[in-house]
Amino acid sequence: MKLKDETKILETMGKLTGPALRWYQENLRSFTKWDDAEKALRDRFKEFTLGSQLMHEFFQLYQDENQSITSFYENVIRKYRKARQFITEQQVITVLQSGVKLSLKEYLIRNEKDIRKPEEWLQIAREEEYIQNRIQQQHGDDPCGEKKSSTTRTFHPIFVKIICNNTPQEALIDTGSAITIIHECLLKNIPHKNLIKKTKNHLSANCTTLNVIGETTLEINISGLKTKVIADVATNLITDLILGSDWIQRNKVYILTPEQRIMIRSKGKEVSTPFITPPILNYPATLINHITIPPFSE
């Protein structure tokens, strides 16, 4: 045995403690080369070394500012599954609580006593994220009243490809709409069940009145996952189909803006579909206040 190898083997013994030192001393005579000793040591304590590395990575997980709650949660769970023999569910909750972004942290800390499982944390976090997103969408100028802000904001409607009553369509996903609405013209061109005639008036986001003539049941197919919703039928909708909060909440639809897609988990399945380029929408323009144009003012 070379002196260099012997020196390495003996120096290594001086750096070990506990079970590793005892094991090393018991097997010292079998080491004739440093490479053999190093390999035997790594193989014997490989699981412990890997576990330590995985745990270190796990406790360093943080949510990016533009990352959705669902994406952050899934990232944590993926890491947890790799090291679940070393990590408890309570530690998963600890990482979720400490790693979540600041805008959600205070609310989650206040509700900490109600969280016993990671799934419960996800449900509470999603609800708060949804509320905050709604508040952000409503922040700014109020089209029906007083001007609250002079900041110009660009509205990017979320459109996705779906199959409605076995017919390919493009639908607007609108969290600001409490109901799902389909244009009368589209309904006439697709297979559908009986139209239940009802007269309603809904106020749209731009303060115009929607003329609703009835309601019907629609089958919405997203990437093979079929859902049903009762939709109002309107004659003056700005687009063909709006999937509102009634459909979004009932089917647990998650709008993952950073990933530019929506995701649905239902009946043991998880599907998603990407955002598409919005079509050109023609918005009716109305005046907030009455004006009088004097004669010959042109």
Side-chain angles (χ1 to χ4, degrees):
M1 182 173 64
K2 295 180 180 179
L3 181 61
K4 185 177 180 181
D5 282 2
E6 182 180 8
T7 302
K8 286 183 178 180
I9 291 172
L10 294 175
E11 285 181 348
T12 299
M13 184 169 60
K15 296 177 181 179
L16 298 175
T17 60
L21 176 60
R22 289 195 295 273
W23 175 87
Y24 196 81
Q25 289 173 333
E26 291 171 359
N27 293 272
L28 185 61
R29 293 181 181 276
S30 64
F31 302 145
T32 57
K33 295 181 179 180
W34 164 244
D35 289 343
D36 295 338
E38 183 183 28
K39 184 177 184 305
L41 187 62
R42 288 184 181 276
D43 289 345
R44 175 64 179 81
F45 295 97
K46 181 178 180 180
E47 183 176 333
F48 176 79
T49 304
L50 178 61
S52 299
Q53 181 181 350
L54 290 173
M55 288 185 69
H56 176 74
E57 293 175 357
F58 181 74
F59 285 103
Q60 298 300 314
L61 294 174
Y62 294 94
Q63 181 186 11
D64 294 334
E65 191 60 34
N66 294 324
Q67 186 180 23
S68 68
I69 277 292
T70 301
S71 176
F72 170 59
Y73 174 82
E74 289 177 344
N75 189 28
V76 172
I77 294 301
R78 276 195 297 270
K79 293 286 187 181
Y80 164 61
R81 286 170 180 163
K82 290 181 180 179
R84 64 191 317 158
Q85 63 190 102
F86 310 106
I87 299 171
T88 66
E89 281 197 343
Q90 187 56 49
Q91 288 175 315
V92 174
I93 296 172
T94 299
V95 169
L96 290 168
Q97 287 285 72
S98 61
V100 72
K101 58 187 178 183
L102 288 175
S103 60
L104 297 169
K105 192 182 290 287
E106 181 180 349
Y107 178 82
L108 289 166
I109 290 175
R110 292 181 186 277
N111 289 272
E112 206 165 35
K113 64 180 183 300
D114 298 324
I115 302 173
R116 296 178 179 84
K117 294 183 178 181
E119 298 83 10
E120 294 174 351
W121 182 94
L122 177 62
Q123 183 64 32
I124 293 174
R126 277 174 174 164
E127 290 173 357
E128 177 62 14
E129 181 185 53
Y130 175 77
I131 291 171
Q132 290 190 12
N133 288 340
R134 287 291 304 275
I135 292 172
Q136 289 176 2
Q137 289 174 359
Q138 294 172 5
H139 178 71
D141 293 343
D142 181 0
C144 302
E146 183 180 356
K147 189 174 183 181
K148 298 178 182 177
S149 170
S150 59
T151 304
T152 301
R153 297 188 303 123
T154 303
F155 173 61
H156 298 286
I158 298 172
F159 276 84
V160 296
K161 289 186 177 181
I162 66 162
I163 297 177
C164 178
N165 289 6
N166 297 317
T167 308
Q169 300 293 334
E170 296 178 355
L172 170 62
I173 309 298
D174 188 0
T175 58
S177 175
I179 57 173
T180 293
I181 315 172
I182 186 171
H183 200 293
E184 179 189 23
C185 293
L186 174 59
L187 188 65
K188 288 179 178 179
N189 293 325
I190 64 174
H192 62 277
K193 296 182 179 180
N194 293 336
L195 171 65
I196 301 173
K197 293 187 177 181
K198 292 183 179 180
T199 302
K200 304 178 187 176
N201 285 320
H202 291 306
L203 193 64
S204 68
N206 61 359
C207 297
T208 58
T209 301
L210 290 178
N211 180 32
V212 175
I213 60 172
E215 63 183 34
T216 187
T217 300
L218 301 178
E219 180 186 81
I220 307 298
N221 185 329
I222 304 284
S223 300
L225 183 63
K226 296 180 180 179
T227 63
K228 290 188 180 294
V229 64
I230 296 175
D232 281 354
V233 182
T235 60
N236 58 338
L237 197 62
I238 61 169
T239 187
D240 287 336
L241 177 61
I242 294 177
L243 296 176
S245 293
D246 55 345
W247 178 80
I248 293 170
Q249 295 179 10
R250 184 179 301 120
N251 296 289
K252 297 181 179 178
V253 179
Y254 305 111
I255 301 173
L256 308 178
T257 305
E259 292 90 344
Q260 294 289 289
R261 64 187 176 100
I262 66 169
M263 182 181 71
I264 306 177
R265 283 179 175 166
S266 179
K267 304 173 184 176
K269 293 179 63 178
E270 177 181 305
V271 300
S272 67
T273 188
F275 297 174
I276 62 172
T277 303
I280 297 175
L281 301 178
N282 296 316
Y283 292 93
T286 59
L287 296 174
I288 296 176
N289 301 312
H290 294 287
I291 64 170
T292 301
I293 301 176
F296 310 108
S297 60
E298 68 275 8

